[in-house]
Structures are given as C-alpha cells and as structure tokens.
C-alpha cells in the first residue's frame, strides 16, 4: 500500500507494521503507545490505517498484570475495546481519519471464529466513533463463514492466501491495498 500511495498519488506514508503483534500483549509491543507517539512526532499525518487481529484471539494479561483474562470474557472484551478506543481517540485528537481493516476468515475454523469475534469489536467501536471500517471478508468476497485461498466468488483466479490459510499472497496484498 505504501509503495502504491507514493507511486500513484504522491502520498508519503510511515509503515509501522510489525509482524506477530496485536492489542492483547502490549508488553511485547504496545500499539496504542506507538500510534500516540507517532502521531505526536508527525503532526502532518492525516490518515491512520489499522489492520490487527489474527494475533489476538488468546487469553491476555490484565492491565496491571497478574491473572490472565479469558478470551472473549466480559473482562477481556472490556479491556480489548478500551485499547481499540484508545487508538481511535488518539487519532481523533490529532485530527487523523481512520480506516480500520478487519481480517478476513481464516482456513482453520476455530481461529476464523475468534477473528470474526474480534472483527465485530473493531466494527462496533470504529463505526460508533464515526470512522471507516473495511471488512476483509467483503474485500475477498467471502460470505457467511466461508474461506477460500482464492477470491470468494472465484472472480480472480490467482491465489489470495498463502498455504497457512492466514497470510496473504502478493495478489491478496494488492487486493486489500486496492480496497483501501
């Protein structure tokens, strides 16, 4: 996406992407703090694009450490929503628009169900804040809880997903970038 924005539109961007991170383990990598710091250091940023989820469907430590909160429990959801809202509020405080992209279904059903749950949290928080939510399932034309390595409606014959059923091929990355 960054290359395309620069090449086609002359828009520069900052790539903060970091693999194997999410909102569940801020001690490993703290997205809300990273975003807050970046927006403060770069007041010319106008748009924040967020794509998180596949690394978060697990039990997570409570804010102050100690016991782990069970995935999707009331306490877990409250803390996770708070982290989503923190990102949104910081962006809005800097007059930065948001496009929050949810991950599409995964091949492994149990992971896919958990990611779908996370996507519902993103969607409700993002829409409540008046920002833009982009469903990965809509981008890949997946219906209900279907998964495919290809475009869900078979309109594109190139593979969208890698062999692990989680990550994207270059074609899949381009398809997502086009939607954004």
């Amino acid at each position: 996406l960054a290359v395309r924005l620069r090449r086609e539109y002359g828009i520069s961007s900052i790539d903060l992407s970091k693999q194997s991170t999410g909102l569940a383990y801020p001690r490993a990598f703290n997205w809300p703090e990273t975003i807050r710091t970046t927006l403060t250091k770069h007041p010319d940023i106008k748009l924040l694009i967020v794509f998180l989820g596949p690394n978060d469907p697990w039990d997570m430590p409570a804010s102050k450490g100690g016991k782990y909160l069970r995935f999707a429990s009331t306490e877990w959801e409250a803390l996770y929503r708070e982290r989503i809202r923190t990102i949104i509020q910081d962006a809005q405080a800097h007059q930065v628009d948001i496009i929050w992209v949810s991950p599409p279904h995964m091949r492994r059903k149990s992971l896919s169900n958990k990611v779908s749950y996370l996507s519902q949290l993103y969607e409700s928080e993002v829409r409540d804040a008046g920002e833009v939510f982009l469903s990965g399932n809509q981008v890949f034309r997946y219906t209900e809880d279907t998964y495919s390595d290809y475009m869900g409606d078979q309109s594109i014959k190139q593979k969208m997903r890698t062999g692990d059923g989680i990550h994207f091929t270059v074609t899949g990355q381009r398809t997502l970038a086009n939607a954004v």
Side-chain angles (χ1 to χ4, degrees), residues 1 4 49-51 99 101-104 134-140 151 160 168-180:
L1 180 60
R4 183 164 181 211
I49 301 170
V50 181
F51 181 88
I99 299 174
V101 183
S102 70
L134 179 61
S135 166
N137 288 324
Q138 288 179 337
V139 171
F140 288 103
M151 191 63 82
M160 298 285 133
F168 305 107
T169 63
V170 172
T171 301
Q173 292 170 12
R174 283 189 189 120
T175 300
L176 209 52
N178 289 343
V180 170

Side-chain angles (χ1 to χ4, degrees), residues 22-33 60-63 79 83:
L23 297 177
Y25 291 90
R27 286 179 50 147
F29 190 83
N30 191 324
W31 275 112
E33 182 61 36
M60 70 177 169
S63 287
L79 181 57
R83 292 174 182 169

Side-chain angles (χ1 to χ4, degrees), residues 3-139:
V3 170
R4 183 164 181 211
L5 288 173
R6 185 179 58 250
R7 187 180 326 135
E8 293 183 25
Y9 302 100
I11 298 172
S12 62
S13 60
I14 300 170
D15 183 357
L16 297 177
S17 61
K18 186 162 178 71
Q19 289 184 340
S20 302
T21 64
L23 297 177
Y25 291 90
R27 286 179 50 147
F29 190 83
N30 191 324
W31 275 112
E33 182 61 36
T34 299
I35 291 169
R36 180 182 304 117
T37 300
T38 302
L39 294 176
T40 301
K41 285 172 55 175
H42 301 279
D44 56 334
I45 292 175
K46 301 295 181 219
L47 176 65
L48 173 65
I49 301 170
V50 181
F51 181 88
L52 297 168
N55 293 300
D56 281 345
W58 322 111
D59 296 349
M60 70 177 169
S63 287
K64 297 176 176 56
K67 72 172 190 149
Y68 274 61
L69 304 176
R70 190 152 204 61
F71 176 74
S73 67
T74 302
E75 299 83 8
W76 189 100
E77 182 175 318
L79 181 57
Y80 199 82
R81 282 182 181 274
E82 178 183 311
R83 292 174 182 169
I84 296 167
R85 281 192 298 271
T86 297
I87 291 171
I88 293 168
Q89 290 165 354
D90 284 341
Q92 290 178 332
H94 287 88
Q95 289 79 49
V96 172
D97 293 323
I98 300 167
I99 299 174
W100 199 297
V101 183
S102 70
H105 296 306
M106 307 289 159
R107 179 182 297 134
R108 198 171 48 133
K109 187 72 170 159
S110 61
L111 177 59
S112 191
N113 290 339
K114 291 176 179 180
V115 168
S116 290
Y117 164 76
L118 293 174
S119 293
Q120 292 170 9
L121 302 182
Y122 304 140
E123 182 173 14
S124 69
E125 293 297 332
V126 170
R127 290 191 191 276
D128 285 352
E131 299 296 341
V132 175
F133 174 80
L134 179 61
S135 166
N137 288 324
Q138 288 179 337
V139 171

Side-chain angles (χ1 to χ4, degrees), residues 105 107 140 142 146-152 154 160-161:
H105 296 306
R107 179 182 297 134
F140 288 103
Y142 294 163
T146 60
Y147 169 86
S148 174
D149 284 344
Y150 300 87
M151 191 63 82
Q154 302 301 311
M160 298 285 133
R161 306 296 281 276

